Amino acid sequence: MSVPVTINEDLREQLIAQPEAILDDHDIMHALIAANERAMGANIVDMRGIAMERLEARLDRLEDTHRSVIAAAYDNISGMNLIHRAVLRMLDPADFELFMNDLGGEVAEILRVDCVRLVLETLQDEKNSAVERLGKVLSIAEPGFIADYLGVGTDQSSRQVFLRQVLEQDQTIYGDTGCWMRSEACIRLDLGEGRLPGMLVLGVEDPDQFKPGQGTDLLSFFGGVFERAMRRWLS
């Protein structure tokens, strides 16, 4: 015969006075349910216990979803703050050369990318002195290069932002950056009527920072602001 287990009288009185201490402790509740099942014997199916297990599993899934939603919201707010800071910095310079140098400097640092490159298509083969001075940020390409690089026809897609991993770094865009870009965000630019298109490229060494399936709303906004700034400078 089993010997009845006794409980300390002080502890007993404390539990009677504060029963929520047991109800709020998952481990104690699991132990009580398991003890109850053993007392009923192996031939009795405890439907209440099964229902509780299913409810607990569902609650765990809901808590995981809740944490994921909170994490996604936090990332979105953090990303929005970065974009806003980068836009404000981009609007500060009163000189085009300073504007371009900031793009590859402080703006890149704010956006937490390793490289920012502006690709402009042009019919001119020669590089002028301004282009050479901005060589660390500006890349010149022949007409049609951007559509070919993105794998779209010139009039076949209205998509503005392309996120992808980089398998082979294109020298026309990155040149001698000293870094090996493993993923990139490419933002197509409409620089105005009568002008060839442009492209803003954000490159990073982390292969998982930019990849298909991620949201592009913030980058689309950043690209729209940059388009308007470039139209002002080009005019």
Side-chain angles (χ1 to χ4, degrees):
M1 295 179 61
S2 60
V3 179
V5 179
T6 59
I7 188 171
N8 183 278
E9 189 64 28
D10 293 338
L11 178 58
R12 181 174 179 275
E13 291 179 359
Q14 183 178 358
L15 293 176
I16 292 174
Q18 296 179 318
E20 63 274 7
I22 293 179
L23 297 176
D24 293 339
D25 193 307
H26 289 178
D27 293 334
I28 293 179
M29 290 301 297
H30 277 298
L32 291 174
I33 293 170
N36 182 56
E37 291 175 351
R38 289 195 299 272
M40 290 189 301
N43 295 328
I44 299 176
V45 178
D46 184 8
M47 300 302 295
R48 183 179 59 181
I50 294 173
M52 287 184 64
E53 289 179 358
R54 291 180 178 177
L55 286 173
E56 286 179 352
R58 184 178 181 184
L59 178 60
D60 289 341
R61 291 195 298 269
L62 288 174
E63 287 179 345
D64 290 341
T65 302
H66 182 64
R67 284 192 290 267
S68 298
V69 170
I70 291 176
Y74 176 80
D75 289 342
N76 189 55
I77 292 174
S78 178
M80 187 183 302
N81 289 336
L82 293 181
I83 293 294
H84 288 172
R85 286 175 54 205
V87 166
L88 290 175
R89 179 58 193 174
M90 192 168 60
L91 296 177
D92 277 343
D95 174 79
F96 179 67
E97 190 168 337
L98 181 58
F99 168 80
M100 292 296 292
N101 288 329
D102 272 0
L103 187 65
E106 291 195 28
V107 173
E109 292 177 4
I110 292 172
L111 293 175
R112 299 176 184 174
V113 296
D114 298 310
C115 176
V116 177
R117 302 286 286 182
L118 173 62
V119 181
L120 297 179
E121 293 184 357
T122 180
L123 295 171
Q124 300 178 358
D125 294 330
E126 297 181 357
K127 288 187 176 181
N128 56 38
S129 58
V131 172
E132 291 177 354
R133 288 198 306 271
L134 301 174
K136 293 183 178 180
V137 182
L138 181 62
S139 296
I140 299 300
E142 61 184 13
F145 170 83
I146 294 173
D148 291 340
Y149 184 74
L150 298 176
V152 297
T154 54
D155 299 319
Q156 292 178 357
S157 174
S158 59
R159 182 177 166 196
Q160 183 186 12
V161 181
F162 296 75
L163 307 180
R164 59 190 188 178
Q165 295 175 319
V166 178
L167 298 179
E168 185 174 351
Q169 188 166 287
D170 192 290
Q171 292 300 310
T172 301
I173 295 177
Y174 294 108
D176 186 15
T177 60
C179 301
W180 184 258
M181 304 305 161
R182 302 301 302 276
S183 65
E184 63 185 7
C186 302
I187 307 173
R188 290 205 296 180
L189 304 173
D190 180 1
L191 300 178
E193 186 177 355
R195 296 192 179 100
L196 291 171
M199 179 172 65
L200 192 63
V201 182
L202 312 179
V204 292
E205 294 183 330
D206 181 359
D208 296 320
Q209 183 160 335
F210 296 122
K211 53 187 177 182
Q214 294 175 328
T216 59
D217 290 349
L218 293 175
L219 288 175
S220 295
F221 169 74
F222 181 76
V225 175
F226 185 81
E227 275 183 347
R228 288 158 177 77
M230 281 298 297
R231 289 173 190 169
R232 177 168 59 91
W233 289 115
L234 292 175
S235 63

